[in-house]
Amino acid sequence: MRADQPGTTTAGALSGIVVADFGRVLAGPYMTMLLADLGADVIKIERPGSGDDTRAWGPPFADGEATYFLGVNRNKRSVALDLADPCDLAAARAIVGRADVLVENFRPGTMEKLGLGYEDVRGSNPGLIYCSVTGFGTDGGARLPGYDLLVQAMGGLMSVTGEPDGQGTKAGVALVDVITGLHAGLGVLAALRHRERTGEGQRVEVSLLSSLLSALTNQAAAHLGAGVVPRAMGNSHPSITPYEVFEAQDRPLVLAVGNDRQFRVLCERLGLPGLAEDPRFATNTARVAHREELVAALTGPLGTRTADSWFEELTAAGVPCGPINDLAAAFDLADRLGLAPRVPESAAGPGQVAHPIRLGATPPRYRAAPPRLGEHTEDLLAALGRPVHRGPAPNGHTEEDGRHRRDHGTVGSVGPVRETEGHRR
């Protein structure tokens, strides 16, 4: 199970790093895909027969695969292992024993019951970076299910999203999962740097609730620093104005005026030069205090021209603004700006969003499409010295294979383990 075999790359910043990926759904898989794009060899361990839950989360589908799954699982190898089967569990332990990073987001305690908890595996693999993603932590929240919508609700995000006096509105994507995946990735990279210096692995723990509270930034700071309990304000901003949505002649237009200079230019372009000198609007603090009067003064002039017309003129004058695009228009915009937001279909399958980070010397690479369930099981088992599956059965194994493996028990050795600089195990 070497990281330089076919299906991996030696060119990425994380080339040579092997990731045992027990993650499911979004937070873990999103993070491990980003690592895989940067060269890591990610081995996705899935349930035989069904695999990652998101394989069934459709429509929509592309080429018979759920686009939800496709969106966060490229550049990985899939191994179908039944962790309730002693021999498959032994194979999983062998993979973990040779990995640099383990990622899991089972309910707290599950990995320990399988003998795959951090204390269980660190003795044989002391350099392992063991990343656990939970919903509400491993203490009082251990029994709470970690669903993104639930955390958006209980973690306060929905209370500041939506219209005033509404029931609260969730974000249009599982934003907490995505943020948590990014935090987990940062933690893994920090732990790898520590291991490079000391040779020691460590445990990395990230929860959806803690990640959300951190990501609430200014709203959280308002509460902790000033005792404010923020509330939903629709498309208005609690601390800046005009920083919201207005109606242009044809469609909505966003203004994001962040300072007094921008406000003065806006007033000039709207034919309202005296507005910037009005004591009610001369400073941002004053504008926030008189938000309703200001919005009323700006609404009429903005409604006289199209959103695109205002976008061209105000942007050229240094006033941040833009129309509300749908996703098709957003990708078209990124294309026009030269951001190359799409992965070529030949590189990683249909409908892939490009890695968001540009690196000059070690750019992300798209080596393989998201794997079919169990696509790499035989190769991995062979590399580990395990008997090879001969065909699918309801539990992912043939009866002959199951008998063979029960007769021969657990393989105790998987061959020599490679050494890397600063990390010997």
Side-chain angles (χ1 to χ4, degrees), residues 253-338:
L253 175 75
V254 165
L255 289 181
V257 176
N259 58 53
D260 295 340
R261 182 195 62 78
Q262 292 173 354
F263 181 66
R264 287 194 298 272
V265 175
L266 171 67
C267 293
E268 291 170 1
R269 296 291 171 162
L270 294 180
L272 302 169
L275 204 63
E277 307 304 324
D278 189 316
R280 296 174 299 168
F281 312 128
T283 66
N284 179 70
T285 301
R287 290 193 291 275
V288 171
H290 299 90
R291 183 193 308 273
E292 291 185 5
E293 300 101 302
L294 177 60
V295 169
L298 299 177
T299 296
L302 286 169
T304 62
R305 291 168 57 179
T306 66
D308 286 341
S309 174
W310 282 125
F311 171 67
E312 294 295 335
E313 178 174 344
L314 294 178
T315 299
V319 178
C321 75
I324 297 178
N325 287 332
D326 59 20
L327 278 179
F331 274 97
D332 288 344
L333 173 62
D335 284 329
R336 295 196 305 273
L337 297 177

Side-chain angles (χ1 to χ4, degrees), residues 225-247:
V228 173
V229 179
R231 298 298 181 192
M233 298 178 61
N235 288 315
S236 298
H237 193 286
S239 304
I240 315 170
T241 195
Y243 199 96
E244 54 197 276
V245 180
F246 292 85
E247 287 295 330

Side-chain angles (χ1 to χ4, degrees), residues 89-288:
L89 181 58
R93 288 173 177 161
I95 293 172
V96 171
R98 306 180 77 173
D100 300 283
V101 178
L102 180 150
V103 177
E104 63 91 12
N105 66 334
F106 289 111
R107 189 183 293 269
T110 299
M111 292 292 276
E112 286 74 13
K113 291 178 181 178
L114 295 168
L116 289 170
Y118 180 56
E119 296 301 328
D120 298 312
V121 301
R122 66 182 299 193
S124 59
N125 189 353
L128 182 68
I129 310 303
Y130 193 107
C131 180
S132 294
V133 179
T134 66
F136 295 89
T138 58
D139 194 3
R143 294 183 178 275
L144 296 175
Y147 286 93
D148 179 277
L149 177 60
L150 188 62
V151 180
Q152 287 198 38
M154 297 178 69
L157 178 59
M158 290 177 65
S159 77
V160 297
T161 307
E163 294 302 317
D165 302 320
Q167 64 174 193
T169 302
K170 74 178 184 68
V173 70
L175 189 63
V176 181
D177 275 338
V178 172
I179 292 168
T180 304
L182 294 174
H183 287 170
L186 179 61
V188 165
L189 293 178
L192 285 171
R193 177 68 177 113
H194 172 77
R195 191 187 73 177
E196 184 180 283
R197 294 197 307 267
T198 67
E200 299 174 352
Q202 62 181 297
R203 185 162 193 167
V204 177
E205 295 182 272
V206 185
S207 75
L208 272 66
L209 179 57
S210 295
S211 290
L212 172 58
L213 293 176
S214 174
L216 285 171
T217 57
N218 61 299
Q219 299 280 33
H223 173 59
L224 296 179
V228 173
V229 179
R231 298 298 181 192
M233 298 178 61
N235 288 315
S236 298
H237 193 286
S239 304
I240 315 170
T241 195
Y243 199 96
E244 54 197 276
V245 180
F246 292 85
E247 287 295 330
Q249 190 178 68
D250 58 339
R251 55 178 173 147
L253 175 75
V254 165
L255 289 181
V257 176
N259 58 53
D260 295 340
R261 182 195 62 78
Q262 292 173 354
F263 181 66
R264 287 194 298 272
V265 175
L266 171 67
C267 293
E268 291 170 1
R269 296 291 171 162
L270 294 180
L272 302 169
L275 204 63
E277 307 304 324
D278 189 316
R280 296 174 299 168
F281 312 128
T283 66
N284 179 70
T285 301
R287 290 193 291 275
V288 171

